[in-house]
C-alpha cells in the first residue's frame, strides 16, 4: 500500500474484519492500509496498498511493504487513475496456511475495455505477500469490477465476491496461484454493486451474499440484497455500507446497515444518518429489528444535518462480554464547535431490546489519542476492528479523510478490558507510511 488511506468519491468504504490475517505465518496480525489515490512515480491515482507486518509490540512502520502494480511480480503496470487498492479482502484461497490478499482495481483499462476493472490476488507465504495473479473477471467497458471485494472461508471452501457496475462475480472452489479458479458465477440481477459482503445468518455453514448497490436517485443510498436473485427483493431500507456480527449473543450473525445520507425523495432515512439492525436466526434475517440514530435512547450525541452517522460501521465484541458492539463512524459531527471534525460512536450489544444504552464516543480530543479535532478532519470516515496485537482484545482502527490537509490520517486505538482506549494509540500519516501525492479521501482500512 503506497500512500495513506484514500478512496475516491463513490468507492465503497471497507468493511471491518474481526479476525486478523497472518500473511507470513509468524503468528502476529498484519495490518493492511489501502491507498487507491496514491501517486506512483508520475501516475496520479495509480494506487497502492501498505502492509504493516505484525510483531509482539504490534504493527510498526519499520516493518512495512508498499505494494503497487509496479512491484515485481504484480500483474499489469501502475497507471494514472487505476485506483489499485480501492477494495481489499483476505482468505487462505489456496489452503496453504497463509492468508492471501485480494485487491480491487476498478478503473483499470484493459485492451478494448475502458474502466473494465481488475482483481489481483497477492499470495501469502513465509516471506509475506509476494507472488501475484489476477482473477478472471469479465472484460466489460466500464464494468469497474473490483469496486468492492469480499471473501469468506465457507464450509465448502473459500469464496470471493467481486462487485462492480456490471453486477457481481462470485469465485469459489479450488483457487490456484496461476489465477485459475474452478467455479465462477456472474450475478447480474439488480443495479450496480458498490459493496460486497458475506454473512451466515442462519448458521447453516453457507454464508449468504450481501450486496449493496450504488446510490440511486430518489433514495438515500443503495439497495441492499441478501443472496440477490429475481425472486428475492431488496431489503426495505437503504444503505451505503454493511457490517456483520452477533449483536445479541445468540450465536447467529446479525447484519448492520449504515445509511448516513440525509432524507430525500420521501425515503425513510433519518436526519443526520442512521443504522438499521437485522437479527439472524434459524430462518435467516428477521424483519428490521431496530433503527438507531443519535436521537435514539441512550445513543451519545444529537442527530444533526450532515453528521453522516453510519458512514462506516463495524461489529465486534470490544469488551469481551459475549455481545457484539456496534461501532459507527460519524465523520460529519461537530466536536467542541469544530464543524465536521468527526467522531466514532460505540453502541454496546444487548441480549434483548434496542441497543443504545451505555454508548460512548471517541474523537481526537479523547484522552491520549494523538492529534486534536479540527474542522473538516472527518474522523470516523472509515473504520475497522481487529486484534492487531493478538492479545484477545480487539483494537479499533479509524480513518480521517480530512486529516493532514486532506492527505488523510489513520489511528490504531488499542483494545482493553472495557473497550478501545487512547492509551498507547498510534497515529499514522501519509508521510509516515512513505506515500507521495495528495490523498483526497480516506479509504478502507482492514486489520488483517
Amino acid at each position: 500500500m503506497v500512500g495513506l488511506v484514500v478512496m475516491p468519491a463513490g468507492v465503497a468504504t471497507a468493511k471491518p474484519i474481526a479476525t486478523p490475517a497472518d500473511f507470513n505465518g509468524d503468528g502476529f496480525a498484519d495490518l493492511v492500509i489501502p491507498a487507491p489515490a496514491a501517486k506512483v512515480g508520475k501516475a496520479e491515482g495509480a494506487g497502492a496498498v501498505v502492509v504493516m507486518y505484525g510483531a509482539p509490540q504490534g504493527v510498526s512502520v519499520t516493518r512495512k511493504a508498499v505494494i503497487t502494480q509496479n512491484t515485481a511480480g504484480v500483474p499489469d503496470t501502475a497507471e494514472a487513475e487505476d485506483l489499485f487498492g480501492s477494495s481489499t479482502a483476505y482468505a487462505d484461497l489456496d489452503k496453504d496456511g497463509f492468508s492471501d490478499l485480494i485487491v480491487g482495481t476498478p478503473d483499470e483499462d484493459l485492451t478494448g475495455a475502458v474502466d473494465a476493472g481488475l482483481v489481483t490476488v497477492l499470495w501469502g507465504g513465509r516471506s509475506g505477500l509476494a507472488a501475484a495473479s489476477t482473477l478472471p473477471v469479465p472484460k466489460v467497458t466500464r464494468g469497474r469490477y473490483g469496486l468492492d471485494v469480499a471473501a469468506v472461508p465457507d464450509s465448502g471452501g473459500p469464496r470471493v465476491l467481486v462487485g462492480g457496475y456490471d453486477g457481481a462475480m462470485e469465485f469459489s472452489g479450488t483457487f490456484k496461484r496461476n489465477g485459475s479458479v474452478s467455479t465462477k458465477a456472474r450475478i447480474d440481477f439488480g443495479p450496480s454493486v458498490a459493496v460486497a459482503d458475506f454473512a451466515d445468518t442462519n448458521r447453516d455453514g453457507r454464508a449468504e451474499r450481501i450486496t449493496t448497490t450504488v446510490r440511486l436517485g430518489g433514495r438515500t443510498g443503495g439497495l441492499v440484497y441478501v443472496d440477490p436473485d429475481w425472486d428475492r427483493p431488496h431489503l426495505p431500507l437503504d444503505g451505503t455500507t454493511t457490517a456483520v456480527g452477533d449483536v445479541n449473543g445468540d450465536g447467529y450473525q446479525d447484519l448492520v446497515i449504515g445509511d448516513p445520507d440525509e432524507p430525500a425523495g420521501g425515503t425513510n432515512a433519518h436526519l443526520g444518518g442512521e443504522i438499521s439492525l437485522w437479527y439472524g436466526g434459524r430462518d435467516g434475517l428477521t424483519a428490521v429489528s431496530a433503527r438507531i440514530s443519535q436521537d435514539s435512547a441512550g445513543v451519545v450525541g444529537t442527530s444533526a444535518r450532515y453528521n453522516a452517522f453510519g458512514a462506516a460501521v463495524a461489529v465486534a465484541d470490544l469488551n469481551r462480554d459475549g455481545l457484539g458492539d456496534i461501532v459507527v463512524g460519524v465523520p460529519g459531527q461537530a466536536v467542541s464547535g469544530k464543524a465536521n471534525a468527526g467522531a466514532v460512536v460505540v453502541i454496546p450489544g444487548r441480549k434483548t431490546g434496542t441497543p443504545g444504552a451505555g454508548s460512548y464516543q471517541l474523537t481526537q480530543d479523547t484522552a491520549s489519542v494523538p492529534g486534536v479535532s479540527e474542522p473538516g478532519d472527518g474522523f470516523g470516515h472509515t473504520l475497522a476492528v481487529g486484534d492487531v496485537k493478538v492479545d484477545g482484545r480487539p483494537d479499533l482502527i479509524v480513518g480521517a479523510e480530512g486529516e493532514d490537509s486532506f492527505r488523510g490520517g489513520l489511528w490504531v486505538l488499542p483494545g482493553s478490558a472495557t473497550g478501545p482506549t487512547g492509551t498507547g494509540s498510534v497515529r499514522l500519516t501519509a508521510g509516515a507510511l512513505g506515500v507521495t501525492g495528495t490523498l483526497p479521501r480516506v479509504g478502507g482500512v482492514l486489520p488483517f
Side-chain angles (χ1 to χ4, degrees):
M1 315 166 173
V2 177
L4 178 60
V5 216
V6 288
M7 191 165 285
V11 177
T13 55
K15 296 166 295 300
I17 303 296
T19 305
D22 185 0
F23 300 119
N24 56 7
D26 64 358
F28 299 108
D30 305 321
L31 178 68
V32 175
I33 306 172
K39 182 178 180 180
V40 180
K42 295 183 179 180
E44 298 278 359
V49 292
V50 181
V51 181
M52 300 177 67
Y53 290 104
Q57 68 276 17
V59 295
S60 168
V61 294
T62 63
R63 288 172 53 84
K64 75 175 189 297
V66 175
I67 303 174
T68 75
Q69 288 182 297
N70 284 351
T71 299
V74 176
D76 213 274
T77 303
E79 299 161 314
E81 305 307 324
D82 276 351
L83 305 181
F84 177 82
S86 286
S87 57
T88 56
Y90 77 88
D92 182 4
L93 297 182
D94 57 355
K95 299 182 180 180
D96 64 351
F98 298 95
S99 296
D100 309 305
L101 181 64
I102 305 147
V103 182
T105 312
D107 283 13
E108 180 71 46
D109 294 341
L110 302 178
T111 303
V114 175
D115 292 342
L118 194 69
V119 178
T120 303
V121 178
L122 303 173
W123 299 96
R126 296 209 176 277
S127 298
L129 297 170
S133 58
T134 59
L135 291 177
V137 297
K139 188 169 73 172
V140 180
T141 295
R142 293 183 178 84
R144 299 200 73 202
Y145 281 104
L147 193 60
D148 198 19
V149 293
V152 64
D154 231 19
S155 58
R159 296 162 61 197
V160 174
L161 186 61
V162 177
Y165 281 3
D166 194 47
M169 287 289 299
E170 181 175 328
F171 302 94
S172 59
T174 302
F175 291 80
K176 294 185 178 180
R177 290 197 168 212
N178 62 6
S180 67
V181 57
S182 60
T183 304
K184 48 186 177 290
R186 184 175 175 184
I187 305 162
D188 57 3
F189 169 80
S192 302
V193 175
V195 180
D197 213 338
F198 283 109
D200 183 4
T201 61
N202 60 1
R203 214 164 55 188
D204 66 352
R206 178 196 171 275
E208 300 95 80
R209 309 180 196 99
I210 310 293
T211 61
T212 304
T213 72
V214 295
R215 285 178 168 90
L216 301 177
R219 310 191 72 93
T220 57
L223 304 177
V224 183
Y225 292 87
V226 179
D227 271 345
D229 205 341
W230 292 106
D231 60 352
R232 297 188 185 95
H234 59 80
L235 299 179
L237 294 177
D238 300 341
T240 62
T241 187
T242 57
V244 176
D246 185 3
V247 176
N248 60 358
D250 65 354
Y252 291 95
Q253 288 191 323
D254 309 315
L255 176 65
V256 174
I257 301 174
D259 188 9
D261 294 355
E262 295 301 310
T267 62
N268 293 320
H270 192 280
L271 175 73
E274 69 173 5
I275 62 173
S276 59
L277 171 61
W278 309 71
Y279 287 120
R282 186 174 57 184
D283 298 321
L285 292 180
T286 62
V288 60
S289 306
R291 295 173 61 182
I292 303 170
S293 70
Q294 287 181 290
D295 284 337
S296 298
V299 177
V300 66
T302 302
S303 291
R305 196 176 186 192
Y306 303 132
N307 268 7
F309 181 87
V313 290
V315 179
D317 185 1
L318 300 178
N319 58 3
R320 315 313 293 165
D321 64 354
L323 305 172
D325 305 308
I326 305 172
V327 188
V328 185
V330 198
Q333 179 175 309
V335 178
S336 301
K338 299 167 185 174
N340 303 309
V344 172
V345 172
V346 178
I347 304 172
R350 292 187 60 171
K351 290 185 178 180
T352 59
T354 300
S359 71
Y360 56 93
Q361 176 178 279
L362 299 163
T363 72
Q364 289 187 71
D365 291 348
T366 297
S368 300
V369 173
V372 61
S373 295
E374 298 171 309
D377 275 352
F379 187 83
H381 171 76
T382 188
L383 54 84
V385 180
D387 189 0
V388 175
K389 290 187 176 180
V390 196
D391 60 2
R393 297 173 173 177
D395 308 299
L396 176 62
I397 297 90
V398 182
E401 62 175 340
E403 181 75 10
D404 193 18
S405 299
F406 284 89
R407 297 187 72 204
L410 177 73
W411 286 256
V412 180
L413 278 60
S416 72
T418 57
T421 174
T423 303
S425 58
V426 176
R427 173 178 172 267
L428 299 170
T429 63
L433 295 171
V435 180
T436 59
T438 300
L439 306 178
R441 290 181 70 88
V442 177
V445 183
L446 300 182
F448 288 166

